[in-house]
Amino acid sequence: MADLVAGVDSSTQSCKVTIRDADNGAVVREGRASHPDGTSVDPRHWWDALGTAIADAGGFDDVAAVAVAGQQHGMVALDAEGRVVRDALLWNDVRSADAAAQMVEELGREAWVTRTGLVPVASFTGTKLRWLRDAEPENAARVAAVALPHDWLSWRLRGFGPADESPNGPDLDALATDGSDASGTAYWDPARKAYDAELFELALGRPMRVAGDGSTDAVVVPRVVAPDAAMGTLDADVTLPGGTVARAGLMVGAGTGDNAGAALGLGLGPGDVAVSLGTSGTVFGVTDTELADPSGTVAGFADATGARLPIVTTLNAARVLEVIGGLLGVDHGELGRLALAAPAGADGLVLVPYFVGERTPNRPDATASLLGMTPATTDREHLARAAFEGMLCALADGLAAVEATGVTVERLLLIGGAARNEAVRTIAAQVFGRDVELPEPGEYVAAGAARQAAWALTGTLPSWDIATTTVPADPRPEVLERYRDAVR
């Protein structure tokens, strides 16, 4: 009987679990559960959702190994008893924008890029720690360890946590992470593959130590596990919320950040770039070369294999379709049909889609704008078209920024829930001006985590086939040019 492995995608919106054949990646069963809305969330909701999603997937009794991929950057602060100090600030919480600006001013962009591969913005964990230090000093003083969402969930799954909630208790030295997630903190160097203790102290105002180093007078950060290694193996049963049990002997892999998980699930290699359309949007690729973008547009994260993952993130992707669809009273499908009834370029109507501010470009306080309104363009069809084009043009700028770092784009893949919309596919081939490959629908973050679990279990990273279709390039450069004029 083939070994089964599980992959978890604990995203902003939900928890997805996929159970697969470790050899060929065939899906055996899946489950999911919702997360609450908001940019500040009690991590207990993630733990509850994990138990529900595992149960929905039929449990883990026959699963040999699991890995967790999680939303990046979220600040999970723990006290000495293993309890969460305050609600986790998620990646899309922009209250630390001023803190980020202060940190950039203190060291300069070049220094940040050299030491971390990125320039701090509100998304990154380090800026949230600075905000905590300044805005909630009493909470900051209680912090005994800082973890990320995937670190914390993996720790809980391995049986650690508050003494009254877990069999192994609050052993903070058991915290672990991987390089991809650590590289999004703004205090880990993906080139040296090491924490930068000075930058951590710059953020929180207190010294740090790596879990397991033996000292006790500093804030714990998780040890970084190699991509093909395991965080550990359960030595006793762990009961999750809802009564689901993870059995003794279950191996827990290193896990990863969500975008690195998607890259691993897609099997990306050098020359491949993916555009992911969730509530937020990302453009990311894989490269073996060093990365440096002092502008801060491209973050030079680590991927889930030991290579680099240049990435650009926007706060507004499918969110744009939700807002405009809600305004017009239609679902995504009907919004797409309206959009395709209008010409490319929407006769000059341009939507700048900064509905919740923006991360790239770094404009946390920005708002959305609609330009080029005339009697001829102010109708449902043109507005729908402008929504799709605005969303995709923002990501086309992200793709251009990734290319500007020296990354070669030989294959462009489009993923995420919104990629299933015919209008998205058609307009993407126009805005990007190149062939767009569409992998078969799937949960690629969870798939990447499952593939990583198989790697830890067998010692070999498996190759799992993915079917794709191609939408031929249909360049309409005037659409992107008009958008760029609007956002200058």
Side-chain angles (χ1 to χ4, degrees):
M1 185 175 180
D3 285 324
L4 298 185
V5 293
V8 176
D9 171 14
S10 181
S11 70
T12 312
Q13 294 182 313
S14 63
C15 181
K16 281 88 69 178
V17 172
T18 183
I19 297 173
R20 296 178 176 239
D21 184 305
D23 182 51
N24 60 27
V27 176
V28 176
R29 54 188 191 269
E30 295 183 310
R32 65 182 298 135
S34 296
H35 287 161
D37 292 334
T39 64
S40 180
V41 174
D42 184 344
R44 177 174 294 278
H45 293 297
W46 307 333
W47 182 232
D48 291 344
L50 178 61
T52 301
I54 291 173
D56 191 45
F60 275 3
D61 284 355
D62 54 353
V63 172
V66 61
V68 178
Q71 52 177 303
Q72 289 193 265
H73 316 311
M75 181 191 72
V76 183
L78 303 175
D79 67 15
E81 301 303 317
R83 300 188 187 280
V84 175
V85 171
R86 70 164 334 274
D87 285 358
L89 298 186
L90 307 190
W91 67 274
N92 54 354
D93 191 299
V94 298
R95 74 186 71 183
S96 60
D98 289 343
Q102 292 168 8
M103 293 168 72
V104 173
E105 184 177 355
E106 288 165 6
L107 288 186
R109 290 175 175 271
E110 293 284 354
W112 281 104
V113 170
T114 299
R115 294 170 68 167
T116 66
L118 52 82
V119 176
V121 294
S123 297
F124 301 141
T125 319
T127 71
K128 300 178 189 306
L129 291 176
R130 170 65 73 88
W131 175 87
L132 184 69
R133 184 197 77 177
D134 295 341
E136 299 179 356
E138 292 183 0
N139 279 336
R142 292 176 54 207
V143 176
V146 177
L148 302 169
H150 120 256
D151 314 343
W152 182 80
L153 276 173
S154 300
W155 185 67
R156 294 302 311 267
L157 184 57
R158 291 163 54 216
F160 299 99
D164 58 347
E165 298 179 13
S166 60
N168 295 331
D171 183 359
L172 301 180
D173 282 300
L175 284 165
T177 190
D178 86 307
S180 73
D181 225 2
S183 68
T185 60
Y187 47 83
W188 194 81
D189 181 358
R192 293 187 302 114
K193 294 181 170 58
Y195 285 105
D196 191 318
E198 181 182 345
L199 295 183
F200 181 91
E201 189 163 356
L202 179 75
L204 187 59
R206 296 173 57 195
M208 57 147 275
R209 69 175 180 87
V210 179
D213 78 353
S215 63
T216 59
D217 58 350
V219 177
V220 175
V221 294
R223 65 186 174 92
V224 177
V225 177
D228 60 346
M231 286 186 177
T233 300
L234 271 61
D235 55 11
D237 291 354
V238 175
T239 301
L240 283 76
T244 303
V245 177
R247 301 294 179 189
L250 177 69
M251 178 181 289
V252 180
T256 184
D258 52 0
N259 293 298
L264 195 61
L266 289 165
L268 297 191
D272 295 333
V273 173
V275 175
S276 178
L277 298 170
T279 301
S280 60
T282 52
V283 180
F284 56 90
V286 173
T287 181
D288 294 323
T289 61
E290 291 301 312
L291 294 167
D293 180 12
S295 76
T297 302
V298 181
F301 294 163
D303 81 338
T305 69
R308 299 295 289 275
L309 189 85
I311 185 167
V312 172
T313 302
T314 68
L315 294 178
N316 300 276
R319 181 192 314 276
V320 179
L321 308 185
E322 292 290 345
V323 171
I324 300 303
L327 178 65
L328 298 180
V330 297
D331 61 16
H332 281 199
E334 179 60 23
L335 189 70
R337 287 187 285 274
L338 289 170
L340 293 178
D347 291 319
L349 189 67
V350 176
L351 175 66
V352 179
Y354 302 160
F355 286 103
V356 290
E358 192 47 86
R359 169 172 165 175
T360 308
N362 184 26
R363 300 176 183 175
D365 299 321
T367 56
S369 302
L370 190 63
L371 304 102
M373 297 178 70
T374 70
T377 62
T378 310
D379 60 23
R380 293 162 63 83
E381 291 78 10
H382 284 81
L383 181 55
R385 183 84 189 199
F388 283 89
E389 290 180 344
M391 174 184 73
L392 290 165
C393 283
L395 291 162
D397 274 349
L399 178 62
V402 169
E403 288 184 283
T405 66
V407 174
T408 300
V409 184
E410 298 173 1
R411 193 168 66 120
L412 183 67
L413 296 90
L414 194 66
I415 63 170
R420 302 176 188 181
N421 190 297
E422 181 183 356
V424 169
R425 301 175 179 196
T426 300
I427 297 170
Q430 297 172 349
V431 169
F432 292 117
R434 63 177 78 216
D435 291 352
V436 175
E437 291 197 23
L438 302 164
E440 60 186 338
E443 298 292 351
Y444 285 103
V445 176
R451 191 171 174 226
Q452 190 186 55
W455 193 6
L457 181 68
T458 67
T460 301
L461 181 61
S463 178
W464 294 345
D465 293 334
I466 299 171
T468 63
T469 57
T470 301
V471 179
D474 182 16
R476 306 294 178 91
E478 68 279 5
V479 177
L480 184 55
E481 290 169 4
R482 189 175 291 117
Y483 175 84
R484 287 174 173 169
D485 287 340
V487 299
R488 283 197 180 101

